[in-house]
Amino acid sequence: AQTVTQSQPEMSVQEAETVTLSCTYDTSESNYYLFWYKQPPSRQMILVIRQEAYKQQNATENRFSVNFQKAAKSFSLKISDSQLGDTAMYFCAFAYNNDMRFGAGTRLTVKP
Amino acid sequence: DAGITQSPRHKVTETGTPVTLRCHQTENHRYMYWYRQDPGHGLRLIHYSYGVKDTDKGEVSDGYSVSRSKTEDFLLTLESATSSQTSVYFCAISARGSSYNEQFFGPGTRLTVL
């Protein structure tokens, strides 16, 4: 079974600085999808960024980018120019054949 | 925002009682999912549906059943609730299945089993 590990339960960053959240996963599949979701205090799950495993180019969405290392099974999220509104739980997720597995999450606090 | 609603949003019930949670979508998406969220575990898939009357089990399906009689509604039933089923439950929808499309989530239902 696929597993997803987020080794940083909590992180903090100063406003306007850059922070990287780590995610590793374990799978024997070669074609799959990876996601980062954000969950603010409102509890709503919001998609941040998506990466397709067959694409070597790292995905980017405005201030959010990923470092996808397929051989190492690593999928980290970099947030640039952190804003107070980025304060939230961040979940890494792996998806294959309708089975989506989430990591335990990293609680990120952006400090003014 | 994707048109997904969940009802009820909060529920407190007693051990041994049946509970049904409802997920309703207005997007006409084929795929619907039920997850539970617990501290230290992230979200875990309970059941999912890939069409009307077509459902399959997820990672933590024991103690839960689902039904989908219409495209827009996906019901999650706890036949006899236990304290271990105290959790926040999320419904999600996807146009083409989780492997190809992101899932859009509902607002969640907080269930407490006393």
Side-chain angles (χ1 to χ4, degrees):
Chain A
Q2 281 72 228
T3 59
V4 179
T5 302
Q6 293 179 248
S7 59
Q8 305 150 315
E10 295 189 16
M11 294 189 72
S12 64
V13 63
Q14 291 296 131
E15 194 175 8
E17 294 188 347
T18 296
V19 64
T20 299
L21 308 183
S22 301
C23 174
T24 58
Y25 57 94
D26 185 25
T27 184
S28 58
E29 306 297 339
S30 57
N31 291 322
Y32 48 85
Y33 291 75
L34 298 162
F35 303 87
W36 278 98
Y37 279 89
K38 169 185 177 181
Q39 187 180 42
S42 67
R43 208 167 65 192
Q44 182 67 46
M45 292 288 287
I46 302 165
L47 178 69
V48 175
I49 200 164
R50 174 180 62 181
Q51 175 78 43
E52 293 147 339
Y54 64 86
K55 291 186 176 180
Q56 292 187 335
Q57 185 174 3
N58 289 324
T60 299
E61 289 286 343
N62 300 315
R63 297 183 295 108
F64 299 88
S65 61
V66 297
N67 183 3
F68 174 48
Q69 301 290 330
K70 190 172 184 179
K73 298 180 182 176
S74 171
F75 183 60
S76 61
L77 174 70
K78 185 172 81 170
I79 306 174
S80 304
D81 186 24
S82 297
Q83 300 176 359
L84 297 177
D86 294 334
T87 292
M89 283 288 289
Y90 287 81
F91 293 97
C92 177
F94 169 100
Y96 175 77
N97 197 27
N98 268 314
D99 186 7
M100 184 174 274
R101 300 295 174 109
F102 287 81
T106 295
R107 184 177 301 280
L108 177 67
T109 301
V110 180
K111 299 179 178 179
Chain B
D1 291 341
I4 313 170
T5 56
Q6 293 184 229
S7 58
R9 295 292 312 280
H10 302 273
K11 186 172 181 66
V12 179
T13 190
E14 294 187 351
T15 298
T17 61
V19 176
T20 295
L21 307 183
R22 179 180 183 240
C23 177
H24 179 79
Q25 61 147 329
T26 58
E27 305 296 320
N28 201 36
H29 282 355
R30 179 181 174 187
Y31 293 83
M32 299 185 75
Y33 309 83
W34 276 109
Y35 291 90
R36 60 178 289 174
Q37 183 178 22
D38 305 291
H41 288 281
L43 278 76
R44 291 180 291 176
L45 181 65
I46 304 171
H47 283 279
Y48 70 95
S49 170
Y50 48 97
V52 173
K53 299 190 188 302
D54 293 323
T55 65
D56 205 348
K57 296 179 179 180
E59 182 186 0
V60 291
S61 60
D62 287 349
Y64 301 95
S65 62
V66 291
S67 65
R68 192 172 179 195
S69 58
K70 298 184 291 185
T71 298
E72 58 266 34
D73 289 326
F74 192 32
L75 304 181
L76 177 71
T77 298
L78 291 66
E79 299 291 348
S80 178
T82 67
S83 58
S84 64
Q85 294 175 312
T86 292
S87 187
V88 178
Y89 291 85
F90 285 94
C91 174
I93 64 174
S94 177
R96 292 191 290 158
S98 66
S99 293
Y100 308 102
N101 267 45
E102 63 264 32
Q103 296 182 11
F104 299 97
F105 286 82
T109 294
R110 181 176 295 278
L111 175 67
T112 302
V113 183
L114 302 176

